[in-house]
Amino acid sequence: MGLFKRKKEAEGDDALRLYYASDIHGTEVLWKKFLNAPKVYDARVLVMGGDITGKVVIPIVQEDDGTWSARLFGGRQEARDEAELDGLERRVRGNGMYPYRTTHAEVDRIAGLPEEEREQWFESVMLHTFGEWIKLADERLAGTGIRCFVMPGNDDPQALEDCIRQGTNVESCDEAVVEFDGYTMLSLGYSNRTPWDSPRELDEDQLYQRIHDLSEQVPDMSRCVFNLHVPPYDSRLDTAAELDENFKMVLIGKEPHMIPVGSTAVRQAIEEYQPLASLHGHIHESPAANRIGRTLCINPGSDYHTGRIAGCLVTLRGDRVVHQFVTG
Amino acid sequence: MATDHAAASQTHFARRATGFVRDVKVSDAVIFNVLPACPGLVMAVSVFWVLTAFSGVNVYACIVITAICSFLISGAFGLLSQIMPRSGADYILISRSLHPALAVGSSILIGASSMLAMGYWGVFTAKICIGPMLTMVGVAADSSTLQSWGGSIASKPWDMLVGFGEIALLALIMAYGMRFMMRVQFWLFTLGMVGFVVAALTLLTTSRSSFISHYNTYAQPFTHKPDSYHYFIDQANKAGTNLSTTTDWHNTVVASGAFIAFGVWVWFSTNLAGEIRQAGTRKNWYSMLGGLAVTFGSILIMIALLYHTIGQQFLTAVTAVSADPTVYTLPNSPWWITLVAAIHTNTLFVAFLGITFVCWAPLIVYIQIVQPVRALFAWAFDQVIPEQIAQINERTHTPVLLLGVIAVASLPFLYAAAYTTSFFKYIALSTIVGFPTFVLVGIGAILFPYKKKAAYEASVSNVSLLGVPLMVFFGIGSIAAGLFGAWLWLEYPQLGLPGAGKSLADQLFTTPGSGGLALIAACLILGAIIFYLGKAWRKSQGIDLSLNYLEIPPE
């Protein structure tokens, strides 16, 4: 039966399954799921494509009577003992935010800091948590033989790279070409310019130049995977709502005005180099797979606030690639 | 670029990063959830249907029963969808909580419901909207041409052709771009609601005696009776119509099925959940509750005003005698809008009422087109079917091919609705296929907090009542509502379902077009076939579809 004729070949031993996810934005439960993905999906390579850290710190303030309180989901949450406090912190972490035990006085002090100093304080909270994540990854991946590549995205601080490098079972890949199982992966976590002036952004010509420089280290583009945080421009992987100067969605007819916001440099690089596949994140609301020439471009999107990790299984076989979106 | 997002408060500290945007207002989703039961059209169909078919019916109670069912079903859909805010509605919810084969079957059931509804609402566009509107204006303007056009367009084959033209035009607008469609949707809805409000105010400011006087003047040229109002009541009495206002509770419960047919779809925004960012928040369910409030609130108010100004007895009588052309000689059926138009016969006022009433028609047809498109998208995204089926046009970013296919596929449904001798059969079949989905989503809502604990706990649906997840209560409620609706339609032939009242075995072992149960079984079997064929085909490509539906354990 023609429908099943490639079954035997497809299940052959030489196929390599890679699991890709990105944009988990500080959601601890998603990091744990990412680390467990090889067990469920039988993947040999893990790639975290950037925007790993969160955006919000929730102060959990100790009150005079010894209890703790925080504002979460628009309501006041209280913890009367250590067990309840653990539970509260778990809920905060589970929603992509960082819990921070503190006092009213310290909250007032941080609120009064200049923006630059407040960003530094925020970064220290993030890096502490991320350090714990790396330790967890080292524990879980020890002895499994699984290659785990982690790359910061445009929203992540530069210092995240140092944390990744401290891991023993986690490999840094940003601005590098790495090899696995006869394939190469070219990675770059920077994005083009965004309205938010996030920590790792480049102009389009700078972005192109970096990809171009890295591409010279790739021996065979037909066995190369691009891991570029920002998707190519106008590729259906990059459709997002247009924002005005106040970060409000531009609505036309009560509908958000959707526009392509990807990188022209990334598109140009893909068109020129035609790698086997190209993995992207950055635009949460635009999950899609699309071909640019022979290159299969993939953005699994992100639903990080739902506690479910949007990812993609990429099966590599010689110069062929098959993808499967999975939300775990 | 300077940003205010790092502005601190005592509740949280945020840093500069992408993603902090204000999303689409809840009101947009509310409108979307009102559309499956456009108040103007549901008033025209359901109220006049039940008044004659079920003597002693208490319409208020019917609406309350329907609103309760709708509330329970929306709870199951809303709470599940908040955990899985992806486009595809029941397919997404059932595949992740129960089984993908059942989910594909459910999708086909709702798709069948939408296609059947596309057929009969398409035909209704001419039959109860454009035709009566032209006749209304023709009477007011004393134009026999307009009255003649009104009569012609409401008859075969024009009703079918108008329906197809409407579907094709909507598909074209949707193919042009969702943004443009949303503008069209907003303005049609606004116009429809303005007309509805003006009609309500007209009724509110008109006394019973004033209405009788206006109606008698309006009807006199056609009935040649000085008091047509009481003439119709007398004739209905003579024909044995029960005009008593005493409630028959049994008939009221059965008649609620006629409102359930249109009123239990306020969860329809789950079809677009992936495109509305706030679908991951409680606003998802709140938008359904908003839709429910607008739908049932406006229908309740309009019925109260109709009873107040026109009178329940007359409404029942005139609807009953309208089936007898020797008694009812007016050119228009006694829809609520044509009765309101009898109050002020100023041509401009009547034209305004008619045009705003017509605005509802494309809205209710549009919502039927959305469902199959989104379902096929979700299947294609999960690779159950080839991705090419949901191919997006590079220029317009819309599924042009799929929209064209659905427009063409609507033709047999339009034909069936236009040329049937039993029009209500299609409404009945369209209704009955929805109930299994409500049951399946209900079961999914009960199981989800226990089967996929991590996803549940991380979601805004993680709310408990007496130590039990709220979703469980709504899951039970959705199952109860689904079973209740199915029981009404399978048990009582007055609602119009072919084979209703016969044994379940008789209803199951017949052709799908002759029995609701048979159609349900056929859809579920077809769903299983599609899923398992897709699974086998993908396996041959090295893709294991079952992985799509797993949750990764975090620990």
Side-chain angles (χ1 to χ4, degrees):
Chain A
M1 188 176 174
L3 186 65
F4 307 114
K5 68 183 177 188
R6 288 170 60 194
K7 180 177 175 181
K8 198 171 175 182
E9 186 187 2
E11 288 182 347
D13 290 333
D14 58 333
L16 171 71
R17 187 177 280 175
L18 173 156
Y19 176 73
Y20 173 84
S22 76
D23 296 79
I24 62 172
H25 287 288
T27 311
E28 190 168 270
V29 69
L30 264 57
W31 177 253
K32 290 178 174 177
K33 287 183 171 190
F34 173 73
L35 296 175
N36 278 357
K39 289 183 200 165
V40 175
Y41 300 136
D42 194 24
R44 298 214 301 267
V45 176
L46 284 175
V47 179
M48 174 54 69
D51 283 5
I52 306 161
T53 52
K55 303 172 181 179
V56 175
V57 171
I58 299 288
I60 301 180
V61 182
Q62 188 160 34
E63 305 292 349
D64 293 341
D65 61 1
T67 62
W68 299 81
S69 71
R71 297 283 299 180
L72 193 61
F73 308 132
R76 182 184 158 90
Q77 309 264 325
E78 284 186 350
R80 283 163 295 185
D81 53 35
E82 197 61 31
E84 287 186 2
L85 189 56
D86 282 347
L88 177 56
E89 289 185 329
R90 206 165 43 245
R91 283 202 297 284
V92 172
R93 286 195 201 98
N95 283 279
M97 298 177 280
Y98 299 107
Y100 182 71
R101 296 187 192 192
T102 185
T103 61
H104 284 296
E106 192 182 13
V107 168
D108 291 341
R109 183 187 67 79
I110 296 164
L113 288 174
E115 183 180 328
E116 202 60 31
E117 287 181 42
R118 199 164 52 236
E119 289 278 329
Q120 284 172 9
W121 167 81
F122 199 112
E123 189 172 307
S124 70
V125 175
M126 279 192 307
L127 292 177
H128 172 75
T129 300
F130 189 69
E132 296 298 314
W133 286 17
I134 292 294
K135 283 183 198 165
L136 182 70
D138 284 343
E139 282 170 29
R140 287 199 179 176
L141 299 174
T144 61
I146 290 161
R147 303 279 301 273
C148 177
F149 297 99
V150 180
M151 170 180 83
N154 67 299
D155 278 345
D156 299 315
Q158 196 62 46
L160 203 73
E161 188 67 13
D162 298 332
C163 278
I164 297 167
R165 290 207 172 102
Q166 283 170 15
T168 50
N169 293 317
V170 173
E171 299 174 55
S172 165
C173 62
D174 190 30
E175 295 201 80
V177 174
V178 295
E179 287 186 40
F180 52 84
D181 291 59
Y183 294 90
T184 53
M185 183 168 75
L186 179 160
S187 302
L188 187 64
Y190 283 84
S191 78
N192 53 350
R193 296 291 173 195
T194 74
W196 290 274
D197 190 22
S198 58
R200 288 164 33 99
E201 296 179 2
L202 294 171
D203 292 331
E204 291 284 7
D205 56 344
Q206 294 172 309
L207 206 53
Y208 177 79
Q209 192 59 47
R210 294 208 190 186
I211 300 169
H212 172 76
D213 292 347
L214 288 168
S215 70
E216 292 183 343
Q217 301 171 39
V218 177
D220 179 3
M221 279 293 172
S222 71
R223 293 176 74 90
C224 176
V225 175
F226 278 10
N227 169 31
L228 308 173
H229 183 63
V230 60
Y233 180 78
D234 201 16
S235 58
R236 297 206 302 265
L237 282 64
D238 67 326
T239 309
E242 186 182 5
L243 304 179
D244 65 15
E245 63 277 10
N246 297 315
F247 302 96
K248 280 182 71 174
M249 278 188 188
V250 175
L251 299 180
I252 297 182
K254 311 292 276 184
E255 176 77 356
H257 185 214
M258 306 303 281
I259 55 169
V261 295
S263 161
T264 52
V266 167
R267 177 153 197 138
Q268 184 186 346
I270 292 170
E271 285 173 348
E272 285 178 13
Y273 300 116
Q274 290 285 283
L276 178 57
S278 188
L279 309 173
H280 309 275
H282 192 49
I283 307 300
H284 305 176
E285 60 271 54
S286 195
N290 195 16
R291 283 199 183 266
I292 295 178
R294 70 177 294 278
T295 304
L296 176 66
C297 304
I298 298 165
N299 174 10
S302 173
D303 287 328
Y304 69 91
H305 54 286
T306 67
R308 309 183 78 230
I309 183 166
C312 189
L313 293 170
V314 181
T315 305
L316 305 171
R317 163 188 291 279
D319 59 358
R320 291 209 313 271
V321 59
V322 173
H323 79 285
Q324 179 178 10
F325 289 118
V326 282
T327 304
Chain B
M1 181 192 289
T3 169
D4 61 356
H5 287 292
S9 73
Q10 286 199 309
T11 60
H12 69 279
F13 296 100
R15 69 186 178 97
R16 284 182 314 200
T18 48
F20 279 104
V21 289
R22 296 176 199 172
D23 287 318
V24 183
K25 286 184 284 185
V26 179
S27 57
D28 297 320
V30 171
I31 290 176
F32 201 82
N33 287 326
V34 173
L35 298 186
C38 291
L41 294 179
V42 170
M43 283 286 306
V45 178
S46 294
V47 174
F48 288 86
W49 173 11
V50 300
L51 281 176
T52 49
F54 302 93
S55 60
V57 65
N58 182 327
V59 177
Y60 296 118
C62 288
I63 291 169
V64 170
I65 290 169
T66 307
I68 292 169
C69 290
S70 191
F71 174 68
L72 295 172
I73 293 164
S74 76
F77 272 88
L79 292 170
L80 270 176
S81 183
Q82 284 168 183
I83 305 172
M84 299 170 276
R86 279 183 54 186
S87 298
D90 51 300
Y91 166 72
I92 294 294
L93 307 184
I94 295 169
S95 64
R96 270 71 180 169
S97 59
L98 286 178
H99 194 280
L102 283 172
V104 176
S106 169
S107 237
I108 293 173
L109 285 166
I110 300 295
S113 175
S114 289
M115 293 307 292
L116 285 161
M118 213 185 295
Y120 69 74
W121 283 121
V123 169
F124 269 179
T125 299
K127 243 182 177 44
I128 69 169
C129 294
I130 298 175
M133 186 268 281
L134 288 172
T135 309
M136 266 163 57
V137 179
V139 171
D142 197 19
S143 163
S144 57
T145 309
L146 280 178
Q147 290 182 49
S148 164
W149 286 358
S152 300
I153 209 163
S155 57
K156 295 186 279 277
W158 291 105
D159 52 358
M160 187 185 102
L161 293 175
V162 166
F164 182 68
E166 177 186 41
I167 290 167
L169 182 63
L170 284 165
L172 268 177
I173 294 171
M174 291 166 84
Y176 184 71
M178 198 62 182
R179 187 181 48 168
F180 183 50
M181 185 63 233
M182 285 290 116
R183 287 159 75 176
V184 172
Q185 174 193 297
F186 174 76
W187 284 109
L188 286 174
F189 180 80
T190 303
L191 283 170
M193 279 311 275
V194 167
F196 199 79
V197 170
V198 168
L201 290 173
T202 305
L203 288 167
L204 184 67
T205 54
T206 305
S207 67
R208 176 78 59 85
S209 58
S210 176
F211 173 78
I212 293 171
S213 167
H214 284 298
Y215 187 78
N216 287 338
T217 307
Y218 169 81
Q220 199 276 333
F222 307 103
T223 60
H224 307 293
K225 306 282 181 195
D227 186 359
S228 301
Y229 184 91
H230 291 103
Y231 167 70
F232 287 145
I233 292 174
D234 290 343
Q235 289 299 313
N237 261 326
K238 281 181 191 163
T241 306
N242 180 2
L243 299 180
S244 162
T245 52
T246 309
T247 298
D248 179 330
W249 286 107
H250 176 265
N251 274 1
T252 297
V253 170
V254 178
S256 63
F259 286 93
I260 285 172
F262 308 109
V264 288
W265 309 91
V266 295
W267 49 269
F268 237 58
S269 60
T270 56
N271 281 299
L272 300 172
E275 292 138 84
I276 303 170
R277 277 197 179 182
Q278 287 180 326
T281 72
R282 292 204 175 104
K283 288 179 179 175
N284 184 339
W285 184 31
Y286 294 164
S287 74
M288 297 177 196
L289 297 181
L292 192 149
V294 172
T295 302
F296 293 103
S298 50
I299 291 175
L300 275 172
I301 290 168
M302 187 57 87
I303 287 170
L305 290 169
L306 287 168
Y307 279 12
H308 160 265
T309 305
I310 299 175
Q312 182 181 354
Q313 201 181 36
F314 175 72
L315 283 168
T316 308
V318 76
T319 310
V321 299
S322 67
D324 182 353
T326 62
V327 176
Y328 188 83
T329 48
L330 274 74
N332 253 340
S333 296
W335 307 123
W336 70 274
I337 193 78
T338 59
L339 293 173
V340 175
I343 296 172
H344 296 299
T345 49
N346 174 284
T347 307
L348 280 179
F349 175 77
V350 171
F352 170 78
L353 275 187
I355 289 167
T356 52
F357 181 67
V358 168
C359 289
W360 293 114
L363 286 173
I364 207 161
V365 171
Y366 149 71
I367 207 85
Q368 315 304 334
I369 301 173
V370 169
Q371 189 279 335
V373 170
R374 302 299 154 166
L376 287 168
F377 248 97
W379 296 6
F381 198 82
D382 276 350
Q383 297 177 311
V384 175
I385 57 172
E387 293 96 319
Q388 288 82 354
I389 290 176
Q391 193 75 40
I392 299 285
N393 180 278
E394 290 283 357
R395 197 173 63 80
T396 63
H397 297 275
T398 55
V400 174
L401 176 69
L402 194 51
L403 285 164
V405 168
I406 285 170
V408 173
S410 71
L411 268 170
F413 294 94
L414 286 162
Y415 180 85
Y419 285 89
T420 182
T421 50
S422 169
F423 195 83
F424 282 104
K425 167 182 166 181
Y426 291 97
I427 296 179
L429 287 172
S430 171
T431 302
I432 191 72
V433 290
F435 298 124
T437 292
F438 306 153
V439 173
L440 290 171
V441 169
I443 296 169
I446 293 169
L447 297 180
F448 197 92
Y450 306 104
K451 277 179 77 175
K452 302 203 170 178
K453 210 172 176 181
Y456 167 72
E457 286 181 349
S459 74
V460 294
S461 298
N462 181 5
V463 179
S464 294
L465 189 66
L466 304 171
V468 178
L470 189 62
M471 278 175 68
V472 171
F473 292 107
F474 277 101
I476 293 167
S478 186
I479 293 169
L483 291 177
F484 171 67
W487 169 73
L488 286 179
W489 283 83
L490 293 172
E491 184 67 21
Y492 293 98
Q494 301 97 302
L495 288 168
L497 186 70
K502 294 181 185 171
S503 73
L504 292 182
D506 281 348
Q507 294 188 58
L508 182 61
F509 296 107
T510 180
T511 57
S514 310
L517 265 189
L519 182 59
I520 290 169
C523 290
L524 289 173
I525 291 167
L526 181 62
I529 290 170
I530 289 173
F531 175 73
Y532 284 109
L533 267 180
K535 191 175 178 188
W537 170 53
R538 289 300 187 185
K539 193 174 179 188
S540 73
Q541 298 177 329
I543 294 171
D544 180 359
L545 284 191
S546 60
L547 299 180
N548 290 344
Y549 311 102
L550 299 176
E551 183 183 15
I552 305 171
E555 301 304 335

